[in-house]
Amino acid sequence: MHKKNFKSSEQLVKSINSSNKSSTSRMDYYNRILSSSCSTDMIFQRMISTINFKEVVPLPKNNSMFRFVIKCFNNTNNVILGPLKISSGITLTDLPSLSIPMSHYHLNKNNFVQDNFIHRISENETEPMKKFIERLRFIDSRMQMLISDYIRHIDESSPIYYMLKKNNVKFNQNWIFTGIINKGNNNTEYINIRYFKDSFKGKKKIGTNVYCGDDYLDEMADLLSRDTFCYINGNIYPLIKVNYIIINERIVNNIPMVNFTCKAYFVDINFIPNSIHCSTKRI
């Protein structure tokens, strides 16, 4: 039985496409967290050099898979990154020039819910975006180095010791890494940023806030919380936190391997006004 105020996915899409409104400012919060992580090259390098694995634990809903919990600055901070202007912090009027077009297909071909937005890297990115992508590559490289070192020095006390042993994983063999930036067909590179679909904030529809500037987009959050198909495209300011590396077993070319997937999540999904396009029709 439908609730009184229940809207269909088609109604949500229509409302989102017609709103796209501008807003005041959420920039104070963004500038505060960016200032301690990547506001200068020196601060960014310091953050990179302190990234480490706080712990390795089973996934809450799947004990056959594990995750490294990622922290920096002596396990006190999250790894935070976002595009910045060359010389200063960001304001609301800066966001359009610091955003990237991103797409989201809510269900894949097998009708499983997807939690990621993707951006295809081109040769036309702005200078701040090129810097952002370069820094993403540094983070991916740091994660690969940490994984290799962890494997090299693993002992039986590690929760993934027997998984690695079973698959004959060594520091330089039988494991693969899927980064924040990964390659598709024809060596095309994509940035992959996720949102938390499950809400842990009580009143919110999903676990990641969705904004247009400073305005909360409740209908977009509602759409992303559902198990029905939708396509979303829009310009998003890609402010991310790198939370986990997911560890699972895979067969690659008939060879058992262990896969390590670095997962970056939106701090907020913050759309640029007048850039959102949604549809419930499969493309």
Side-chain angles (χ1 to χ4, degrees), residues 50-57 67-79 143 146 150 159 242-245:
T50 62
I51 293 174
N52 216 325
F53 300 149
K54 181 179 181 181
E55 58 185 343
V56 54
V57 293
R67 66 185 179 193
F68 286 125
V69 178
I70 299 167
K71 292 288 185 179
C72 61
F73 298 122
N74 296 321
N75 292 332
T76 60
N77 289 53
N78 290 317
V79 177
M143 298 307 173
L146 289 172
Y150 187 94
V242 186
N243 295 65
Y244 309 117
I245 292 178

Coordinates of all heavy atoms in Angstrom, one line a residue, residues 50-57 67-79 143 146 150 159 242-245:
T50 N 51.3 9.8 5.0 CA 50.8 9.2 6.3 C 49.7 8.2 6.0 O 49.2 7.7 7.0 CB 50.4 10.3 7.2 OG1 49.3 11.0 6.6 CG2 51.6 11.2 7.5
I51 N 49.2 8.0 4.8 CA 48.1 7.1 4.5 C 48.6 5.7 5.0 O 49.7 5.2 4.6 CB 47.7 7.1 3.1 CG1 47.1 8.4 2.7 CG2 46.7 5.9 2.8 CD1 46.8 8.5 1.2
N52 N 47.7 5.0 5.7 CA 48.0 3.6 6.1 C 46.8 2.8 6.3 O 45.6 3.4 6.3 CB 48.9 3.6 7.4 CG 49.9 2.5 7.4 OD1 49.7 1.4 6.9 ND2 51.0 2.8 8.0
F53 N 46.9 1.5 6.5 CA 45.8 0.7 6.8 C 45.6 0.6 8.3 O 46.5 0.1 9.1 CB 46.0 -0.7 6.3 CG 46.2 -0.8 4.8 CD1 47.0 -1.7 4.2 CD2 45.6 0.1 4.0 CE1 47.2 -1.8 2.8 CE2 45.7 0.1 2.6 CZ 46.5 -0.9 2.0
K54 N 44.5 1.1 8.8 CA 44.2 1.1 10.2 C 43.9 -0.3 10.7 O 44.4 -0.8 11.8 CB 43.0 2.0 10.6 CG 42.7 2.1 12.1 CD 41.5 3.0 12.3 CE 41.2 3.1 13.8 NZ 40.0 4.0 14.1
E55 N 43.2 -1.1 9.9 CA 42.8 -2.5 10.3 C 42.3 -3.2 9.1 O 41.9 -2.6 8.0 CB 41.8 -2.5 11.4 CG 40.5 -1.8 11.0 CD 39.5 -1.7 12.2 OE1 39.7 -2.5 13.2 OE2 38.6 -0.9 12.1
V56 N 42.2 -4.5 9.1 CA 41.6 -5.3 8.1 C 40.5 -6.1 8.8 O 40.7 -6.8 9.8 CB 42.6 -6.2 7.3 CG1 43.3 -7.1 8.3 CG2 41.8 -7.0 6.3
V57 N 39.2 -6.0 8.3 CA 38.1 -6.6 8.9 C 37.2 -7.2 7.9 O 37.2 -6.8 6.7 CB 37.3 -5.5 9.7 CG1 38.1 -5.0 10.9 CG2 36.9 -4.4 8.8
R67 N 38.0 -5.9 4.1 CA 38.3 -4.6 3.7 C 39.4 -4.0 4.6 O 39.4 -4.2 5.8 CB 37.1 -3.6 3.7 CG 36.5 -3.3 5.1 CD 35.3 -2.5 4.9 NE 34.6 -2.2 6.2 CZ 33.4 -1.7 6.3 NH1 32.7 -1.5 5.2 NH2 32.9 -1.4 7.5
F68 N 40.4 -3.3 4.0 CA 41.3 -2.4 4.7 C 40.6 -1.1 5.0 O 40.0 -0.5 4.1 CB 42.5 -2.1 3.8 CG 43.5 -3.2 3.7 CD1 43.9 -3.6 2.4 CD2 44.1 -3.9 4.7 CE1 44.8 -4.7 2.2 CE2 45.0 -4.9 4.6 CZ 45.3 -5.3 3.3
V69 N 40.6 -0.7 6.3 CA 40.1 0.6 6.6 C 41.3 1.6 6.5 O 42.3 1.4 7.1 CB 39.6 0.6 8.1 CG1 39.1 2.0 8.5 CG2 38.4 -0.4 8.2
I70 N 41.1 2.6 5.7 CA 42.1 3.6 5.4 C 42.0 4.8 6.2 O 41.0 5.4 6.4 CB 42.1 3.9 3.9 CG1 42.2 2.7 3.1 CG2 43.1 5.0 3.5 CD1 41.9 2.9 1.6
K71 N 43.2 5.2 6.8 CA 43.3 6.5 7.5 C 44.6 7.2 7.2 O 45.5 6.6 6.6 CB 43.2 6.2 9.1 CG 41.8 5.8 9.5 CD 40.8 6.9 9.5 CE 39.4 6.4 10.1 NZ 38.4 7.5 10.0
C72 N 44.7 8.4 7.7 CA 46.0 9.1 7.6 C 46.3 9.9 8.8 O 45.4 10.0 9.7 CB 46.0 10.0 6.3 SG 44.8 11.3 6.3
F73 N 47.4 10.6 8.9 CA 47.8 11.4 10.0 C 47.6 10.6 11.3 O 46.8 11.0 12.2 CB 47.0 12.7 10.1 CG 47.2 13.6 8.9 CD1 46.2 14.0 8.1 CD2 48.5 14.0 8.6 CE1 46.4 14.8 7.0 CE2 48.8 14.9 7.5 CZ 47.7 15.3 6.7
N74 N 48.3 9.5 11.4 CA 48.3 8.6 12.6 C 46.9 8.1 13.0 O 46.5 8.1 14.1 CB 48.9 9.3 13.8 CG 50.3 9.7 13.6 OD1 51.1 8.9 13.1 ND2 50.8 10.8 14.0
N75 N 46.1 7.7 11.9 CA 44.8 7.1 12.1 C 43.8 8.1 12.6 O 42.8 7.6 13.2 CB 44.9 5.9 12.9 CG 45.6 4.7 12.2 OD1 45.6 4.7 11.0 ND2 46.2 3.9 13.0
T76 N 44.0 9.4 12.5 CA 43.1 10.4 13.1 C 42.2 11.0 12.0 O 41.1 11.6 12.3 CB 43.8 11.5 13.8 OG1 44.7 12.1 12.9 CG2 44.6 10.9 15.0
N77 N 42.5 10.9 10.7 CA 41.8 11.6 9.7 C 41.5 10.7 8.5 O 42.1 9.7 8.3 CB 42.7 12.8 9.1 CG 42.8 13.9 10.1 OD1 43.2 13.7 11.2 ND2 42.5 15.1 9.6
N78 N 40.4 11.1 7.8 CA 40.1 10.5 6.6 C 40.9 11.1 5.4 O 41.4 12.2 5.6 CB 38.6 10.7 6.2 CG 37.7 9.9 7.1 OD1 37.9 8.8 7.4 ND2 36.6 10.6 7.5
V79 N 41.1 10.3 4.4 CA 41.8 10.8 3.2 C 40.8 11.6 2.4 O 39.9 11.0 1.9 CB 42.4 9.6 2.4 CG1 43.1 10.1 1.1 CG2 43.4 8.8 3.2
M143 N 48.3 3.3 -2.5 CA 47.5 2.1 -2.1 C 48.2 0.8 -2.6 O 48.3 -0.2 -1.9 CB 46.1 2.2 -2.6 CG 45.3 3.4 -2.0 SD 45.3 3.5 -0.2 CE 44.5 5.0 0.0
L146 N 51.2 0.1 -0.5 CA 50.8 -0.4 0.8 C 50.4 -1.9 0.8 O 50.7 -2.7 1.7 CB 49.7 0.5 1.5 CG 50.2 1.9 1.9 CD1 48.9 2.7 2.3 CD2 51.1 1.8 3.1
Y150 N 52.1 -5.0 2.6 CA 51.3 -5.8 3.6 C 51.5 -7.2 3.2 O 51.7 -8.1 4.1 CB 49.8 -5.4 3.5 CG 49.0 -6.0 4.5 CD1 48.7 -5.4 5.7 CD2 48.4 -7.3 4.3 CE1 47.9 -6.0 6.7 CE2 47.6 -7.9 5.2 CZ 47.4 -7.3 6.4 OH 46.6 -7.9 7.4
P159 N 43.7 -11.5 9.3 CA 42.5 -12.1 8.8 C 42.5 -12.6 7.4 O 41.6 -13.4 7.0 CB 41.4 -11.0 9.0 CG 42.0 -10.1 10.0 CD 43.5 -10.1 9.8
V242 N 38.5 8.7 0.8 CA 38.9 7.3 0.5 C 38.8 6.5 1.7 O 39.7 6.6 2.6 CB 40.3 7.3 -0.1 CG1 40.6 5.9 -0.6 CG2 40.4 8.3 -1.3
N243 N 37.8 5.6 1.8 CA 37.5 4.9 3.1 C 38.1 3.5 3.1 O 38.6 3.1 4.2 CB 36.0 4.8 3.2 CG 35.3 6.1 3.4 OD1 35.3 6.9 2.5 ND2 34.7 6.3 4.5
Y244 N 38.0 2.8 2.1 CA 38.3 1.3 2.1 C 39.0 0.8 0.9 O 38.9 1.4 -0.2 CB 36.9 0.5 2.3 CG 36.0 1.0 3.3 CD1 34.7 1.5 3.0 CD2 36.3 0.9 4.7 CE1 33.8 1.9 4.0 CE2 35.5 1.3 5.7 CZ 34.2 1.8 5.3 OH 33.3 2.2 6.3
I245 N 39.6 -0.3 1.1 CA 40.0 -1.2 0.0 C 39.3 -2.5 0.2 O 39.5 -3.2 1.3 CB 41.6 -1.4 -0.1 CG1 42.2 -0.1 -0.5 CG2 41.9 -2.5 -1.0 CD1 43.7 -0.1 -0.5

